[in-house]
């Protein structure tokens, strides 16, 4: 399966392993980091971006693939759609079945609100389930939310919204114990204390994990709880459009992806928990994201009038799988580096400390391959460097990889690769949307009664998120949005009027900006067919 050149390079990695065992590489200076970012991180390349021409964040920059989604028509014609047949009337409509949606639904339900959780795939199909390495939370004696706060701000290059960061780190210890009480099985020592590790940019070991399937363990637990409490869930029910009374959000139009029928939902409050957008493939990058990560909530919230923040920054996870081709872009958890995995170039030499923050680490990998030409090229032309995984067992004893990162081990075993014996090839992959809809500490957007939680919201992580703060963010802000939305709904005597006025206005803006009618969003699922075989046009407004 490996080419002769790849095997030759693999031998060099093996040859340098012994001398690398005790090698220490210092963290880069702030100046060197900045230079690396400016030279090689895609966020610093002007041709990645375009200015948005319509909507509340008009004039701001975002990657072109996102701008295409913002500057797009709805598949729904506001002049023709019949809103009189309201099929469901609830206090809180939660849109999205990942960690943020499930946490929001649980808390809203606890507050006595009637809840419908609608999700376009199945409950749990989400990026939450694909998060591997851990969840951060300062619950050890040598740590505190204040130290966690400083790490988050530093990681985000101090662009973070301080109030949101305070909420994130302040709620973290309580969130960890809430998850444990619900049944999450975190890794523990024989004495019963939590096993914690470092992530890139953390000054304390505060990564709590369930081996390397932490997100799956958390999602399974939240999902079971939603089902046990019999909270109504509509699966394969995508939200196609929000409804407003012209000012406040008042419900949504759901689209049943199986029956292809629409359903009108009246809701006193709506929580967008639709996750991220890796499937937009910025600059053609592969992605670690799940199949449904197509920026739906961003598009719908934006059209309804909610401004965006930091949409000009994307996280590329440094270690996406680069080979074999079948798993291109899939996550190789940062935990592999946390427990000692080293990154080397073609010659088997390290070129960067492995736990730099992700933006810096990814830029260093891109520089090694594209700038210094010291990477490996796979048979499909994919640039890559090595993640020397066998050094983990060499350092900590045989069996460490199988015990600590079993999901990774299996991911490679399926292709006949034993990562405890041979290094694996990796390259940055589109992983996380650092920006999103602007929210306050309760998760409310600038549109009244419209909340956002999880990856669809922005500002918490500034321009770069640290490992394990996403699993934390989905639970913290899911719970906060669930509580605030339920409280708001409980205080409202009646629901608002249902209209598509905001859409009418948005379509007019698109027309005056001369955006052609051919572009429709949200796309709901990614399109991987060859463009010449597909007719994307839906004549929505004709
Ligand atoms: O927070 C993440 O993105 C995460 C836990 C990823 C990983 O490398 O495991």
């Amino acid at each position: 399966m490996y080419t002769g050149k790849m095997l030759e390079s693999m031998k060099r990695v093996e040859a340098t392993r012994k001398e690398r065992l005790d090698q220490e590489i210092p963290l880069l200076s702030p100046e060197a980091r900045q230079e690396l970012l400016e030279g090689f991180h895609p966020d610093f390349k002007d041709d990645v971006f375009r200015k948005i021409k319509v909507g509340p964040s008009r004039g701001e920059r975002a990657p072109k693939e996102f701008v295409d989604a913002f500057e797009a028509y709805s598949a729904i014609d506001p002049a023709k759609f019949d809103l009189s047949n309201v099929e469901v009337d609830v206090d809180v409509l939660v849109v999205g079945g990942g960690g943020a949606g499930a946490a929001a639904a649980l808390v809203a339900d606890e507050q006595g609100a009637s809840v419908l959780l609608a999700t376009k795939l199945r409950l749990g199909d989400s990026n939450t389930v694909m998060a591997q390495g851990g969840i951060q939370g300062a619950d050890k004696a040598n740590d505190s939310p204040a130290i966690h706060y400083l790490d988050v701000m530093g990681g985000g290059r101090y662009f973070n919204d301080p109030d949101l960061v305070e909420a994130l780190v302040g709620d973290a210890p309580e969130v960890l114990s809430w998850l444990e009480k619900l049944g999450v099985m975190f890794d523990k020592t024989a004495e019963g204390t939590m096993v914690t590790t470092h992530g890139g940019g953390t000054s304390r070991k505060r990564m709590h994990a369930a081996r390397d399937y932490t997100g799956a363990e958390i999602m399974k637990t939240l999902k079971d709880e939603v089902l046990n409490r019999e909270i109504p869930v509509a699966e394969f029910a995508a939200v196609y459009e929000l409804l407003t009374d012209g000012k406040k959000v008042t419900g949504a139009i759901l689209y049943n992806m199986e029956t292809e029928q629409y359903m009108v939902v009246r809701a006193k409050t709506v929580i967008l928990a639709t996750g991220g957008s890796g499937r937009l493939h910025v600059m053609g990058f592969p992605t670690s994201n799940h199949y449904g990560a197509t920026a739906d909530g961003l598009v719908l919230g934006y059209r309804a009038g909610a401004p965006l923040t930091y949409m000009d920054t994307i996280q590329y996870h440094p270690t996406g799988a680069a080979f074999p081709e079948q798993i291109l872009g899939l996550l190789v958890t940062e935990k592999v580096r946390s427990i000692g995995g080293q990154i080397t170039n073609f010659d088997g030499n390290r070129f960067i400390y492995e736990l730099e923050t992700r933006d810096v680490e990814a830029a260093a990998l891109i520089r090694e391959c594209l700038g210094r030409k010291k990477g490996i090229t796979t048979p499909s032309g994919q640039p890559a460097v090595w993640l020397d995984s066998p050094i983990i067992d060499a350092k900590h004893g045989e069996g460490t990889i199988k015990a600590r990162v079993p999901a990774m081990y299996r991911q490679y075993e399926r292709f006949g690769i034993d990562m405890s014996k041979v290094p694996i090839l990796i390259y940055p992959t589109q992983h996380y949307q650092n920006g999103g809809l602007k929210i306050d500490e309760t998760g409310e957007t600038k549109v009244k009664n419209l909340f956002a939680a999880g990856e669809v919201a922005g500002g918490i992580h500034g321009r770069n998120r640290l490992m394990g703060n996403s699993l934390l963010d989905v639970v913290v802000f899911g719970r906060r949005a669930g509580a605030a939305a339920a409280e708001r709904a409980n205080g409202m005597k009646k629901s608002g009027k249902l209209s598509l006025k905001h859409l009418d206005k948005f379509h007019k803006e698109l027309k005056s900006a001369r955006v052609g009618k051919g572009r429709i969003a949200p796309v709901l699922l990614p399109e991987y067919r060859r463009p010449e075989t597909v007719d994307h046009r839906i004549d929505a407004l004709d």
Side-chain angles (χ1 to χ4, degrees), residues 235-258:
E235 293 188 322
F236 300 107
V239 171
Y240 234 28
E241 211 50 67
L242 292 173
L243 297 170
T244 67
D245 62 4
K247 288 199 178 99
K248 308 184 289 297
V249 84
T250 53
I253 299 172
L254 305 193
Y255 174 71
N256 186 315
M257 295 176 76
E258 287 182 315

Side-chain angles (χ1 to χ4, degrees), residues 131-134 317 331 333-334 358 431 465-470:
Q132 297 172 343
H317 193 292
L331 190 60
T333 175
E334 190 163 324
R358 284 181 178 169
H431 184 58
R465 178 178 64 76
L466 298 183
M467 172 193 185
N469 278 340
S470 176

